[in-house]
Amino acid sequence: MSTNRTTPRPHRRGRLALAAAITAAAALTAPVSQAAPAPAEKPSPGAPGLGDPMFPLDGNGGYRVDRYYLDFDWQAPKTPFEATTTIKARSTQALSRFNLDFGGNTLHTVTVNGSTAGASRAGDELTVTPKSPIANGSSFTVKVTYTADPTQTRHRDDAIEDYGWIPTPDGTVVYPQPNGARLIFPADDHPSRRAPITFRITTPGDRMAVANGRLTSRSERPDGRVRWTYDSEQPLSTQLVQLAIGNFRLVDGKGPGGLPLRDVVPDDLVEPTAAYRKLTSDHLAWLQEKLGPYPFNRYGLLVGDTDLAVALETQTLSLIPKADLLGTRVDAERNMVHELTHQWFGDSVPLKSWSDLWLSEGHARFYEREYSEQHGGDSFEAAMKTAYQAHDQWRKDYGAPAEPTEPNLFKRMRYDGSALVLYALREQVGDATFQRIERAWVSGFKGRTASTQDFVELASKVAGEDLEGFLHPWLYGTKTPPMPGHPDWVVDPAT
């Protein structure tokens, strides 16, 4: 093909590309219109409580604690001393003010990010108003100075009895359950709220301080006093805090797999309690076979030199009253296994609400009784049959296992009555499936709060059948269901 034109014209596609390039260049050099910034969230007060049916004002809204630092200048038994709690936290809303759970101590000063803050108290609620509002998502530091009184206790008419600061002949131990941590330090005091803790405790030179976790330093001061620093290592609920001071001896050992064991024993009780304390390694091996690996870095017993006959699952350092370790082996092992089981149930897998306490106490009682039967104690089945007979009465008096009332929170239903629910589940699904449920629970929810509904859903998933219809009447009903595999078991009528 030939053409007579000597000057070619641009193709149409080229003209369009050139126009597009010019337009783009113009856009780059033209003034840019700014989008209007989103309005800042208006600060408002954090909720004074989480609304738990048992204790509505326990815990607080508007922030989450990242770490507590407890500085205690302990002096002598039953003697007030100066204390400082520093809280590193992060806001979950824009805060005009927020609350801490705090009771039983003399308040001195409160600062937020180094500036003096407003502070007012009503009951156990300490309301803090920072100098400037705290933006949503901001890290902030609260420092509270106060005088701590190591004689401050409260009382419950259930298995807890006295709680708070419990004096000993030469010092103190701590019983924070259910909500006595606020007598020790200002806190976000609810079992679903967890944070690591650094303890820095100064004592006279002839006393030792111990706390949850690992001893990171011990330093002697020129005046002869000693400063002890502990790191909890893992987050823990405030109800699981332990802090004890006294004439103690540390007895170190090794558990299965080399797990560090550390017993804290008053000097004059080291030898009398030695035989039973040495059984801890056996207890760990037995429970690990049932549940899988122990969930923390270390474990041990704190022998309580008090007349309070209450054991407690304070995290990594269970408090066992001296009377338990000076009695029969069967009784000692029941309490030791009970508190050790809690390290899986209630400590590693904390409660979402107090209504979920049956998951913690029921499991501890279940494995305590199973172990005891295998080591010289009473029949597990006989104990469950007795609990079954009384179950309707317990439902009437104390509430169903997962539906307690506050005065009856730690009554018999949460122990043998809740172990009975687990016994019924095992009878329903079989031992092999039950063990898979248990292992899935403690591994799947390790380090996470969990609820009764979470347990029902996980059990159903593992069993491959919907267990809602089976478990709901056991957990919430007014009448005790038939016991699978035991048609001859009869419930006594409630009166």
Side-chain angles (χ1 to χ4, degrees):
M1 178 185 291
S2 65
T3 175
N4 294 324
R5 293 191 294 270
T6 58
T7 305
R9 293 183 296 174
H11 293 295
R12 183 172 183 272
R13 182 178 296 173
R15 292 197 303 270
L16 291 175
L18 179 62
I22 294 170
T23 302
L28 289 172
T29 56
V32 178
S33 60
Q34 296 287 340
E41 180 183 340
K42 184 178 180 181
S44 59
L50 299 179
D52 190 295
M54 303 300 105
F55 306 99
L57 290 178
D58 284 9
N60 301 286
Y63 66 91
R64 297 300 293 262
V65 175
D66 291 329
R67 180 175 282 270
Y68 295 97
Y69 298 85
L70 308 184
D71 290 273
F72 290 164
D73 192 24
W74 191 88
Q75 298 297 316
K78 301 181 180 181
T79 303
F81 60 88
E82 296 312 300
T84 300
T85 292
T86 303
I87 301 171
K88 301 284 189 181
R90 181 174 293 275
S91 60
T92 57
Q93 68 176 71
L95 286 169
S96 58
R97 65 174 187 262
F98 58 90
N99 281 32
L100 294 167
D101 301 306
F102 189 48
N105 302 284
T106 304
L107 179 68
H108 297 318
T109 63
V110 181
T111 64
V112 176
N113 294 334
S115 297
T116 300
S120 62
R121 298 181 71 179
D124 287 347
E125 293 298 317
L126 171 60
T127 301
V128 178
T129 305
K131 184 176 181 180
S132 302
I134 300 169
N136 189 1
S138 296
S139 296
F140 63 99
T141 301
V142 187
K143 182 176 285 189
V144 182
T145 64
Y146 55 101
T147 300
D149 182 354
T151 67
Q152 286 285 344
T153 62
R154 293 180 180 176
H155 181 78
R156 289 182 59 86
D157 291 325
D158 56 19
I160 293 296
E161 298 182 22
D162 297 330
Y163 64 103
W165 294 99
I166 304 297
T168 64
D170 53 20
T172 186
V173 295
V174 166
Y175 279 80
Q177 198 177 74
N179 54 5
R182 67 196 59 191
L183 302 181
I184 317 304
F185 61 102
D188 190 11
D189 192 10
H190 187 269
S192 66
R193 303 294 212 181
R194 306 170 74 241
I197 301 178
T198 298
F199 303 83
R200 297 182 288 233
I201 309 157
T202 304
T203 67
D206 63 347
R207 297 291 194 277
M208 177 182 293
V210 295
N212 310 84
R214 180 173 64 94
L215 176 66
T216 58
S217 70
R218 176 190 180 276
S219 58
E220 297 184 10
R221 301 195 326 189
D223 60 2
R225 290 173 64 79
V226 179
R227 190 189 203 201
W228 310 80
T229 304
Y230 288 85
D231 182 352
S232 69
E233 299 182 292
Q234 286 93 12
L236 70 163
S237 303
T238 47
Q239 62 142 342
L240 303 174
V241 167
Q242 185 51 259
L243 179 152
I245 296 155
N247 293 315
F248 295 132
R249 192 182 307 174
L250 298 184
V251 182
D252 293 325
K254 293 289 185 181
L259 178 76
L261 300 181
R262 173 198 58 166
D263 290 344
V264 180
V265 193
D267 285 340
D268 59 350
L269 292 172
V270 172
E271 291 305 320
T273 63
Y276 294 164
R277 288 188 292 101
K278 289 177 181 177
L279 299 172
T280 294
S281 186
D282 295 337
H283 301 159
L284 278 159
W286 187 85
L287 281 167
Q288 287 188 138
E289 185 177 343
K290 298 281 184 181
L291 303 172
Y294 174 73
F296 298 110
N297 296 340
R298 64 199 72 249
Y299 185 66
L301 305 180
L302 168 61
V303 180
D305 190 6
T306 78
D307 294 328
L308 184 60
V310 178
L312 198 63
E313 66 271 22
T314 43
Q315 188 165 303
T316 70
L317 185 62
S318 291
L319 175 56
I320 307 291
K322 62 182 179 182
D324 289 350
L325 298 170
L326 298 174
T328 69
R329 175 168 172 169
V330 166
D331 289 342
E333 288 199 276
R334 280 190 58 180
N335 274 344
M336 291 168 70
V337 172
H338 183 104
E339 305 310 332
L340 178 55
T341 302
H342 273 305
Q343 304 301 312
W344 281 268
F345 296 96
D347 290 21
S348 176
V349 183
L351 311 176
K352 187 173 183 179
S353 74
W354 278 114
S355 297
D356 303 315
L357 181 64
W358 79 274
L359 279 165
S360 177
E361 296 298 349
H363 275 103
R365 182 56 53 88
F366 181 94
Y367 288 104
E368 161 206 334
R369 285 203 175 276
E370 186 175 35
Y371 180 92
S372 185
E373 179 186 57
Q374 296 175 15
H375 296 81
D378 295 336
S379 162
F380 187 15
E381 181 177 306
M384 292 297 93
K385 184 176 182 180
T386 299
Y388 187 78
Q389 289 176 307
H391 223 245
D392 272 7
Q393 188 67 51
W394 292 348
R395 287 174 188 269
K396 179 181 177 182
D397 293 343
Y398 310 136
E403 211 163 41
T405 57
E406 189 275 329
N408 299 312
L409 184 56
F410 289 90
K411 290 288 179 71
R412 191 82 179 270
M413 180 58 97
R414 250 52 65 191
Y415 296 88
D416 281 299
S418 297
L420 185 70
V421 177
L422 298 170
Y423 186 89
L425 176 61
R426 189 176 70 173
E427 294 295 289
Q428 176 73 9
V429 302
D431 186 64
T433 299
F434 180 77
Q435 288 193 35
R436 290 199 302 272
I437 291 170
E438 297 290 88
R439 282 175 168 264
W441 177 255
V442 297
S443 61
F445 285 97
K446 181 181 178 180
R448 297 192 291 144
T449 58
S451 68
T452 297
Q453 187 59 36
D454 290 328
F455 184 81
V456 173
E457 291 175 0
L458 179 136
S460 299
K461 180 179 179 180
V462 173
E465 61 176 299
D466 186 356
L467 291 169
E468 175 81 30
F470 174 76
L471 284 171
H472 193 274
W474 277 99
L475 292 168
Y476 297 101
T478 58
K479 294 291 184 181
T480 305
M483 175 59 71
H486 296 276
D488 57 317
W489 286 17
V490 177
V491 183
D492 293 338
T495 59

